[in-house]
Amino acid sequence: MFDYIKGELVFIGENTLVVENNGIGYLILSNARTLSLMPDIGLEVKIYTKLVHKEDSMTLVGFKQKEDRVIFDILTSVSGIGTKVALILLDEFSGSELIDYVINEDYKSISRAKGVGVKLAQKIIIELKGKLTSAKTNSEIILGKFQNSPVQNDILLEVQTILQSLGYNRNEYTSAIQIVLQRSNAKTSEEILKEALQLLSNT
């Protein structure tokens, strides 16, 4: 229903914030990591939101980074993970950290989060990895934009696929990958993805 809400930050609570837009104050549930990224009260903020609809309530959940919202969506589609556990996971780990653990099938690190056991961590990896790497992308974009790169095309394609799955458009992810390849010595998909996400999160 809402992709994002942009307006004046008027309140920050223990796990909530209020953003005012056109005279309407939107109460948004979030986590400590997101709240720590908020500007001072009175300044403009953009929050990527998800409307969680239950039988007896409707709740807006929001994040500063788009990929956190996407991962929240995927996490809550896993049996046994509700809003609370998903927020705990995205509090314990940044979006890029969680993606890194999933790609490397590191269930032990994920199981460190409160309320997440080994079996649930393994389910998360299966669900997230499948959804992050299943999107169809155009490999010609890689060949055309990065043909002089020393990084193998299959690595670049994996990074592109994941960024597309996180909701970034072609211009956004190709530009971010290009900048990473020009500025750093990143060679693995994990390294390139981490740096690309940092760039995209600051745009």
Side-chain angles (χ1 to χ4, degrees):
M1 184 176 181
F2 302 105
D3 182 33
Y4 64 85
I5 296 173
K6 187 175 183 180
E8 180 185 348
L9 180 66
V10 296
F11 173 79
I12 297 179
E14 184 177 352
N15 59 355
T16 59
L17 58 101
V18 176
V19 177
E20 183 177 337
N21 179 287
N22 289 327
I24 300 174
Y26 294 90
L27 178 65
I28 302 169
L29 179 67
S30 194
N31 57 16
R33 183 183 292 273
T34 296
L35 297 178
S36 70
L37 298 174
M38 291 298 102
D40 293 335
I41 298 295
L43 296 180
E44 185 177 77
V45 67
K46 182 178 182 180
I47 303 293
Y48 292 96
T49 57
K50 168 70 176 182
L51 181 64
V52 178
H53 192 183
K54 297 182 180 180
E55 289 185 4
D56 58 349
S57 67
M58 286 193 296
T59 305
L60 269 179
V61 181
F63 303 95
K64 185 72 167 61
Q65 272 89 37
K66 185 188 297 184
E67 66 268 16
D68 285 349
R69 195 261 309 274
V70 176
I71 294 171
F72 174 84
D73 276 346
I74 299 173
L75 285 172
T76 51
S77 72
V78 178
S79 176
I81 296 185
T83 299
K84 182 178 180 180
V85 175
L87 287 174
I88 288 173
L89 280 163
L90 287 167
D91 217 2
E92 183 74 26
F93 313 111
S94 67
S96 59
E97 285 174 332
L98 196 52
I99 292 169
D100 187 44
Y101 295 147
V102 168
I103 292 173
N104 290 292
E105 300 184 3
D106 186 359
Y107 67 88
K108 291 183 178 178
S109 291
I110 296 175
S111 66
R112 294 200 315 261
K114 184 179 178 181
V116 179
V118 171
K119 288 185 178 180
L120 186 54
Q122 291 171 332
K123 283 184 67 176
I124 290 168
I125 287 173
I126 293 171
E127 293 279 342
L128 271 174
K129 191 167 186 178
K131 292 182 179 181
L132 288 174
T133 59
S134 63
K136 293 181 179 179
T137 57
N138 185 354
S139 60
E140 292 180 0
I141 298 172
I142 293 292
L143 295 175
K145 292 268 185 188
F146 313 118
Q147 58 184 349
N148 296 321
S149 169
V151 180
Q152 295 179 0
N153 279 339
D154 58 342
I155 291 176
L156 294 172
L157 183 58
E158 180 181 27
V159 174
Q160 175 184 285
T161 301
I162 292 172
L163 291 175
Q164 181 175 306
S165 299
L166 292 173
Y168 294 105
N169 63 45
R170 180 183 301 182
N171 289 335
E172 288 174 328
Y173 60 68
T174 53
S175 176
I177 294 172
Q178 198 164 28
I179 291 171
V180 171
L181 295 178
Q182 291 171 347
R183 292 183 180 178
S184 79
N185 295 318
K187 294 292 189 294
T188 68
S189 58
E190 292 86 356
E191 292 171 341
I192 297 170
L193 182 62
K194 183 177 181 179
E195 293 190 31
L197 283 171
Q198 289 174 344
L199 285 171
L200 289 165
S201 295
N202 291 326
T203 58

